[in-house]
């Protein structure tokens, strides 16, 4: 690489690039993959499993004492961990399995805090089909390849494009209803809404200024841990709908400083249960 990464980010980048080589080969032969179904619109493929194994091996080899939280295999390592990798080996699996070139590898590194909880110290999101590596380290900014990222400066809803995740069949009725209310409220106000099927890349694109904001309910920590840090390091906000941590509450609103309060309020109102007349 032409740019210099910290030791932790170097480990993450090397692991992601190694895993991506096999993913790209599988993507070129996607019709031959053995696929099992976890649930409606929620697939797991042999490519996904192999990528996770590669990432685990590479990260563990470089930092053998660190714990893991991984999408497919769950949590492992010491329960008293000081450092933990949070890994989604293939975010955008449905895109991948349909030959849509919008998917990525997401890796975050958490540090346990003395007072409890944890904070994300490093995040890396790699999109192999475009060879874009988004990365951030707490306190040092956010970058895509060698270029610094900044969130969008747009202030008007009418000029803004937002991203979201549309609930699918397995999602609870209240959550689908909350999404529908939010979407109905925001659509008339904005230039566009996108659903591209990768939460990690949605957050990376907010950090890069390609979207003004992104929201989703029922999200998993491995989908958002790296991207949250990028948005914040790029000058934006990434919060839940209250005072909690999105990694724990599974609700996230991320946007530039001008759009965040507006988008967050719309999502909060969408989540409120309408009073019965």
């Amino acid at each position: 690489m032409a740019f210099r990464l910290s030791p932790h980010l170097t480990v993450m980048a090397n692991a992601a690039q190694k895993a991506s080589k096999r993913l790209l080969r599988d993507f070129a032969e996607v019709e031959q993959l053995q696929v099992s179904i976890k649930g409606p619109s929620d697939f797991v493929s042999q490519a996904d499993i192999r990528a996770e194994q590669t990432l685990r091996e590479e990260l563990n080899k470089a930092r053998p004492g660190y714990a893991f939280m991984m999408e497919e295999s769950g949590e492992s390592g010491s329960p008293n961990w000081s450092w933990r990798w949070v890994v989604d080996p293939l975010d955008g699996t449905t895109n991948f399995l349909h030959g849509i070139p919008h998917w990525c590898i997401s890796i975050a590194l958490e540090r346990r805090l003395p007072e409890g909880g944890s904070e994300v110290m490093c995040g890396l999101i790699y999109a192999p089909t475009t060879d874009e590596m988004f990365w951030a380290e707490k306190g040092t900014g956010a970058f895509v390849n060698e270029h610094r990222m900044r969130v969008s400066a747009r202030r008007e809803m009418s000029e803004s494009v937002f991203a979201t995740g549309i609930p699918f069949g397995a999602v609870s009725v209240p959550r689908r209803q909350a999404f529908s209310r939010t979407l109905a409220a925001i659509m008339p106000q904005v230039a566009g809404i996108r659903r591209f099927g990768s939460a990690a890349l949605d957050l990376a694109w907010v950090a890069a200024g390609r979207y003004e904001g992104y929201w989703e309910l029922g999200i998993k920590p491995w989908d958002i841990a790296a991207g949250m840090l990028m948005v914040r390091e790029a000058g934006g906000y990434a919060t839940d709908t209250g005072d909690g941590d999105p990694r724990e509450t599974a609700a996230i609103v991320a946007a530039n400083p001008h759009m965040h309060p507006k988008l967050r309020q719309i999502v909060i109102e969408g989540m409120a249960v309408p009073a019965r007349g």
Side-chain angles (χ1 to χ4, degrees):
M1 295 180 186
F3 48 93
R4 188 175 183 84
L5 299 174
S6 71
H8 272 138
L9 280 166
T10 298
V11 168
M12 297 159 78
N14 289 341
Q17 288 181 318
K18 185 165 185 177
S20 74
K21 292 178 182 178
R22 183 58 184 265
L23 283 172
L24 284 169
R25 288 197 296 270
D26 285 337
F27 186 65
E29 301 175 0
V30 68
E31 71 280 358
Q32 299 179 26
L33 286 177
Q34 296 179 19
V35 180
S36 62
I37 299 179
K38 290 194 293 189
S41 301
D42 187 11
F43 302 101
V44 61
S45 67
Q46 293 300 313
D48 206 329
I49 294 168
R50 284 193 294 262
E52 183 165 290
Q53 290 172 341
T54 298
L55 291 166
R56 177 188 289 276
E57 290 169 4
E58 293 300 309
L59 295 171
N60 192 55
K61 182 169 62 177
R63 296 292 188 273
Y66 290 13
F68 286 89
M69 177 191 283
M70 309 189 86
E71 181 185 16
E72 300 301 337
S73 56
E75 298 183 40
S76 60
S78 171
N80 298 315
W81 56 269
S82 297
W83 294 88
R84 181 169 72 172
W85 302 110
V86 182
V87 180
D88 190 341
L90 178 53
D91 186 47
T93 307
T94 302
N95 285 347
F96 184 96
L97 295 173
H98 285 78
I100 300 169
H102 190 78
W103 47 271
C104 68
I105 296 166
S106 178
I107 309 171
L109 179 60
E110 296 178 328
R111 179 174 69 93
R112 175 164 279 166
L113 300 173
E115 62 274 19
S118 67
E119 63 179 342
V120 179
M121 301 302 294
C122 302
L124 182 141
I125 295 169
Y126 182 50
T129 59
T130 58
D131 196 27
E132 285 188 310
M133 183 169 289
F134 303 87
W135 54 279
E137 192 160 17
K138 188 175 175 62
T140 64
F143 300 80
V144 53
N145 295 339
E146 70 272 21
H147 303 294
R148 181 176 287 274
M149 294 193 293
R150 296 295 300 176
V151 294
S152 162
R154 290 189 176 89
R155 295 171 176 262
E156 301 299 326
M157 293 285 285
S158 60
E159 299 174 353
S160 298
V161 173
F162 294 93
T164 189
I166 299 174
F168 48 81
V171 171
S172 68
V173 171
R175 209 174 96 205
R176 292 204 303 269
Q177 292 174 338
F179 173 81
S180 296
R181 289 191 294 267
T182 300
L183 190 64
I186 198 171
M187 281 180 62
Q189 303 184 51
V190 300
I193 297 173
R194 303 288 183 262
R195 200 283 194 185
F196 285 170
S198 170
L201 282 174
D202 285 341
L203 286 163
W205 284 20
V206 172
R210 300 173 188 177
Y211 295 140
E212 276 60 60
Y214 157 77
W215 87 94
E216 190 160 354
L217 306 177
I219 198 73
K220 301 296 185 181
W222 47 78
D223 293 320
I224 61 174
M228 281 172 48
L229 177 64
M230 288 179 199
V231 171
R232 292 167 179 169
E233 289 295 317
Y237 293 93
T239 70
D240 78 343
T241 54
D243 298 322
D245 185 330
R247 292 173 295 160
E248 298 175 359
T249 64
I252 186 166
V253 180
N256 75 31
H258 309 295
M259 292 294 108
H260 185 266
K262 301 174 184 178
L263 178 60
R264 188 167 180 261
Q265 186 58 37
I266 293 172
V267 175
I268 290 171
E269 291 173 0
M271 293 171 64
V273 177
R276 294 183 178 180

